[in-house]
Amino acid sequence: MARTEKGDPGEQSRSRRERILDAAFSTFAGRGYRDASMDDIAAAAETSKGGVYFHFSTKESIFRELMRTTADKLVAKVERSVGAETDPIAQAEIAIRTVLATFAGHRTMARLLFLDVIGAGRVFQAEANALHERFALLIQGYLDQAVADGVIPPTDTRVTSIAWFGALNEVVGRWLQADQPGRLEDAYPTLRATLLRSVGVPEAHIERLPAPAAPGTFPEVQR
């Protein structure tokens, strides 16, 4: 049965739209993008199919909006996590750690962003590429500052940031596709050391950075 809402019409509309996105996220995660239908999403959102179409013309438009809003929340989380840190290398390391921690705590989010988009077609792959580019640019900014501060030697920070996020992408992708996946956070200490050493961060500087999170302590982050 469709849910009825009372109150300010504008707030009702925003609330219904967010509920539809939450329902779509759960539906895509449970059934996969290809097998999920607008009827499934409407039922999960406890609204009518017409209510879904009022906000989103197609299943594809819902999926694209989900990718964007999820990316917005993840970027905001990264920015909050690095907000109190002034060391650019620590900022870059915290950014990578935050993304990995988020995926470790929410496998369905990772699957949606990394795997389902592969089967959704070229348009959605372009959305995924834009998301990855967004995070690579965050990393590049921190690395640019590290070069300017003399913390690391001059390097092509553009290529390096792409390589860093590519390494993260590969670790997460293999974890998602493993038949018996271990804990994603267990890969972090090695990934962290590899990335930091790849740009010439001195060992003494690495030792001064906050210690990696202990296994099992990465938080779960909802969409």
Side-chain angles (χ1 to χ4, degrees):
M1 180 181 296
R3 180 186 297 183
T4 58
E5 298 172 287
K6 298 180 181 180
D8 177 69
E11 182 58 36
Q12 289 178 17
S13 180
R14 287 188 293 272
S15 176
R16 177 179 293 179
R17 180 183 176 86
E18 186 65 22
R19 195 168 72 247
I20 290 170
L21 286 172
D22 287 341
F25 183 90
S26 299
T27 302
F28 290 143
R31 300 179 62 87
Y33 172 78
R34 290 190 179 279
D35 292 335
S37 68
M38 293 291 264
D39 286 317
D40 295 328
I41 295 170
E46 298 182 3
T47 191
S48 66
K49 189 174 180 179
V52 175
Y53 277 115
F54 177 81
H55 292 279
F56 301 98
S57 59
T58 63
K59 181 176 72 171
E60 290 84 352
S61 66
I62 298 178
F63 192 78
R64 294 178 72 169
E65 181 69 11
L66 264 180
M67 291 193 66
R68 291 169 183 166
T69 58
T70 300
D72 286 344
K73 291 179 180 181
L74 191 49
V75 168
K77 181 172 178 60
V78 168
E79 291 176 340
R80 287 194 302 271
S81 297
V82 305
E85 183 56 67
T86 57
D87 180 342
I89 288 298
Q91 290 175 329
E93 187 270 335
I94 290 170
I96 291 292
R97 172 167 25 114
T98 300
V99 174
L100 196 73
T102 301
F103 293 149
H106 205 320
R107 190 178 173 88
T108 53
M109 176 192 289
R111 181 171 292 277
L112 180 72
L113 296 179
F114 282 83
L115 294 186
D116 278 5
V117 73
I118 296 174
R122 292 176 59 188
V123 172
F124 301 102
Q125 189 60 52
E127 290 286 344
N129 290 341
L131 183 153
H132 297 174
E133 170 74 2
R134 191 171 175 181
F135 286 105
L137 286 173
L138 276 178
I139 299 300
Q140 183 179 356
Y142 303 137
L143 294 178
D144 282 339
Q145 189 60 53
V147 171
D149 291 350
V151 178
I152 61 175
T155 187
D156 187 332
T157 57
R158 168 67 177 164
V159 172
T160 301
S161 65
I162 293 172
W164 274 35
F165 197 78
L168 175 66
N169 187 66
E170 184 69 14
V171 169
V172 174
R174 287 178 179 272
W175 173 69
L176 288 171
Q177 296 181 70
D179 292 332
Q180 296 182 324
R183 294 180 303 190
L184 180 58
E185 57 265 39
D186 288 347
Y188 181 66
T190 300
L191 177 64
R192 173 184 188 263
T194 300
L195 295 180
L196 294 177
R197 288 169 181 153
S198 74
V199 293
V201 179
E203 292 296 323
H205 195 117
I206 294 176
E207 292 175 2
R208 291 196 300 271
L209 295 174
T217 62
F218 280 4
E220 181 170 346
V221 181
Q222 299 297 330
R223 191 195 75 78

